[in-house]
Coordinates of all heavy atoms in Angstrom, one line a residue:
Y130 N -20.8 11.0 15.5 CA -21.9 11.2 16.5 C -23.0 10.1 16.2 O -23.8 10.2 15.3 CB -22.5 12.6 16.3 CG -23.7 12.9 17.2 CD1 -23.5 13.1 18.6 CD2 -25.0 12.9 16.6 CE1 -24.6 13.3 19.4 CE2 -26.1 13.1 17.5 CZ -25.9 13.3 18.8 OH -27.0 13.5 19.7
A131 N -22.9 9.0 17.0 CA -23.7 7.9 16.7 C -24.3 7.3 18.0 O -24.1 6.1 18.3 CB -22.9 6.8 15.9
Y133 N -27.4 6.6 18.6 CA -28.5 5.7 18.4 C -28.1 4.3 18.0 O -28.6 3.3 18.5 CB -29.5 6.4 17.5 CG -29.9 7.8 18.0 CD1 -29.4 8.9 17.5 CD2 -30.7 7.9 19.2 CE1 -29.7 10.2 18.0 CE2 -31.0 9.1 19.7 CZ -30.5 10.3 19.2 OH -30.8 11.5 19.8
S134 N -27.3 4.3 16.9 CA -26.8 3.0 16.5 C -25.7 2.4 17.2 O -25.3 1.3 17.3 CB -26.5 3.1 15.0 OG -25.3 3.8 14.8
R135 N -24.9 3.4 17.8 CA -23.6 3.0 18.5 C -22.7 2.3 17.5 O -21.9 1.5 17.8 CB -23.8 2.2 19.8 CG -24.3 3.2 20.8 CD -24.3 2.5 22.2 NE -25.7 2.4 22.7 CZ -26.3 1.3 23.1 NH1 -25.5 0.2 23.3 NH2 -27.5 1.3 23.5
F136 N -22.8 2.7 16.2 CA -21.9 2.2 15.1 C -21.2 3.4 14.6 O -21.7 4.1 13.7 CB -22.8 1.5 14.1 CG -22.0 0.7 13.1 CD1 -21.3 -0.5 13.4 CD2 -21.9 1.2 11.8 CE1 -20.6 -1.2 12.4 CE2 -21.2 0.5 10.8 CZ -20.6 -0.7 11.1
S137 N -20.0 3.6 15.1 CA -19.3 4.8 14.6 C -18.5 4.5 13.3 O -17.9 3.5 13.2 CB -18.3 5.2 15.7 OG -19.0 5.7 16.8
V138 N -18.6 5.5 12.4 CA -18.0 5.3 11.1 C -17.1 6.5 10.8 O -17.6 7.7 11.0 CB -19.0 5.1 10.0 CG1 -18.3 4.8 8.7 CG2 -20.0 4.0 10.3
G139 N -15.9 6.3 10.4 CA -15.0 7.4 10.0 C -14.7 7.2 8.5 O -14.6 6.1 8.0
A140 N -14.6 8.3 7.8 CA -14.3 8.2 6.4 C -13.3 9.3 6.0 O -13.2 10.3 6.6 CB -15.5 8.3 5.5
A152 N -17.6 11.8 9.3 CA -18.0 10.8 10.2 C -19.5 10.7 10.2 O -20.1 11.7 9.7 CB -17.5 11.1 11.6
N153 N -20.1 9.6 10.6 CA -21.6 9.6 10.6 C -22.1 10.5 11.7 O -21.5 10.7 12.7 CB -22.1 8.2 10.7 CG -21.6 7.4 11.9 OD1 -20.6 7.6 12.4 ND2 -22.4 6.4 12.3
L154 N -23.2 11.1 11.3 CA -23.9 12.1 12.2 C -25.4 11.7 12.3 O -26.1 11.8 11.3 CB -23.7 13.5 11.5 CG -24.1 14.7 12.4 CD1 -23.3 15.9 11.9 CD2 -25.6 15.0 12.3
E155 N -25.7 11.2 13.4 CA -27.1 10.7 13.6 C -28.0 11.7 14.2 O -27.6 12.8 14.6 CB -27.0 9.4 14.5 CG -26.2 8.3 13.8 CD -26.3 7.0 14.5 OE1 -26.7 6.9 15.7 OE2 -25.8 6.0 13.9
N156 N -29.3 11.4 14.1 CA -30.3 12.3 14.6 C -31.4 11.5 15.3 O -31.7 10.4 14.9 CB -30.9 13.1 13.5 CG -31.8 14.3 14.0 OD1 -33.0 14.1 14.3 ND2 -31.2 15.4 14.1
F159 N -34.4 9.3 13.2 CA -33.4 8.4 12.6 C -33.1 8.6 11.2 O -31.9 8.6 10.7 CB -33.7 7.0 12.9 CG -33.8 6.6 14.3 CD1 -34.5 5.4 14.7 CD2 -33.3 7.4 15.3 CE1 -34.5 5.0 16.0 CE2 -33.4 7.0 16.7 CZ -34.0 5.9 17.0
S162 N -30.2 10.8 9.7 CA -28.8 10.5 9.9 C -28.0 10.5 8.6 O -28.6 10.1 7.6 CB -28.7 9.2 10.6 OG -29.3 9.2 11.9
V163 N -26.8 10.9 8.6 CA -26.0 11.0 7.4 C -24.7 10.1 7.6 O -24.1 10.2 8.6 CB -25.6 12.4 7.0 CG1 -24.8 12.4 5.7 CG2 -26.8 13.3 6.9
C164 N -24.4 9.4 6.6 CA -23.2 8.5 6.6 C -21.9 9.2 6.6 O -21.8 10.4 6.0 CB -23.2 7.5 5.5 SG -24.6 6.3 5.6
A165 N -20.9 8.6 7.1 CA -19.5 9.2 7.1 C -19.0 9.5 5.7 O -18.5 10.6 5.4 CB -18.6 8.2 7.8
E166 N -19.2 8.6 4.8 CA -18.7 8.8 3.4 C -19.3 10.0 2.7 O -18.6 10.8 2.0 CB -19.0 7.5 2.6 CG -18.3 6.3 3.1 CD -19.2 5.5 4.0 OE1 -20.0 6.1 4.9 OE2 -19.2 4.3 4.0
R167 N -20.6 10.2 2.9 CA -21.3 11.3 2.3 C -20.9 12.6 3.0 O -20.7 13.6 2.3 CB -22.8 11.1 2.3 CG -23.3 10.3 1.1 CD -24.7 10.0 1.1 NE -25.1 9.1 2.1 CZ -26.3 9.0 2.7 NH1 -27.2 9.8 2.4 NH2 -26.5 8.0 3.6
N168 N -20.6 12.6 4.3 CA -20.1 13.8 4.9 C -18.7 14.2 4.4 O -18.4 15.3 4.2 CB -20.1 13.7 6.4 CG -21.6 13.9 6.9 OD1 -22.3 14.7 6.4 ND2 -21.9 13.3 8.1
V186 N -12.6 3.9 4.7 CA -13.7 3.9 5.7 C -13.3 3.1 6.9 O -12.8 1.9 6.7 CB -15.0 3.2 5.1 CG1 -16.2 3.4 6.0 CG2 -15.3 3.8 3.7
T188 N -14.7 1.3 10.4 CA -15.8 0.9 11.3 C -15.1 -0.1 12.3 O -14.0 -0.5 12.1 CB -16.9 0.2 10.6 OG1 -16.4 -1.1 10.1 CG2 -17.5 1.0 9.5
S194 N -16.6 -3.1 7.4 CA -17.8 -2.8 6.5 C -17.5 -2.1 5.3 O -16.8 -1.1 5.3 CB -18.8 -2.0 7.4 OG -19.4 -2.7 8.3
A195 N -18.2 -2.5 4.3 CA -18.1 -1.7 3.0 C -19.1 -0.6 3.0 O -20.1 -0.7 3.8 CB -18.4 -2.7 1.8
P196 N -19.0 0.5 2.2 CA -19.9 1.6 2.2 C -21.3 1.1 1.8 O -21.4 0.2 0.9 CB -19.3 2.5 1.1 CG -17.9 2.2 1.0 CD -17.8 0.7 1.3
C197 N -22.4 1.7 2.3 CA -23.7 1.4 1.9 C -24.0 1.8 0.5 O -23.2 2.6 -0.1 CB -24.7 2.1 2.9 SG -25.0 3.8 2.6
G198 N -25.1 1.3 0.0 CA -25.5 1.6 -1.4 C -25.7 3.1 -1.7 O -25.2 3.5 -2.8
A199 N -26.2 3.8 -0.8 CA -26.5 5.2 -1.0 C -25.1 5.9 -1.1 O -25.0 6.8 -2.0 CB -27.3 5.8 0.1
C200 N -24.2 5.6 -0.3 CA -22.9 6.2 -0.3 C -22.2 5.9 -1.6 O -21.5 6.7 -2.2 CB -22.1 5.9 0.9 SG -22.7 6.7 2.4
R201 N -22.3 4.7 -2.1 CA -21.6 4.2 -3.3 C -22.1 5.1 -4.4 O -21.4 5.6 -5.3 CB -21.9 2.7 -3.6 CG -21.3 1.8 -2.6 CD -21.7 0.4 -2.9 NE -21.4 -0.4 -1.7 CZ -21.3 -1.8 -1.6 NH1 -21.4 -2.4 -2.7 NH2 -21.1 -2.4 -0.5
Ligands
THU522 N1 -23.2 4.3 8.2 C1 -22.1 5.0 7.6 O1 -21.7 6.1 8.1 N2 -21.7 4.6 6.4 C2 -22.1 3.5 5.8 O2 -21.6 3.2 4.7 C3 -23.0 2.6 6.4 C4 -23.7 3.1 7.6 C5 -23.7 4.8 9.4 C6 -25.2 5.2 9.3 C7 -25.6 5.1 10.7 O3 -25.2 6.2 11.5 C8 -24.8 3.9 11.3 O4 -23.7 3.7 10.4 C9 -25.6 2.6 11.3 O5 -26.2 2.3 10.2

Side-chain angles (χ1 to χ4, degrees):
Y130 177 73
Y133 303 105
S134 70
R135 284 188 247 133
F136 188 73
S137 293
V138 185
N153 54 334
L154 191 154
E155 298 186 345
N156 191 274
F159 299 165
S162 301
V163 183
C164 292
E166 298 90 324
R167 275 178 286 156
N168 280 329
V186 188
T188 67
S194 285
C197 78
C200 288
R201 295 176 196 198

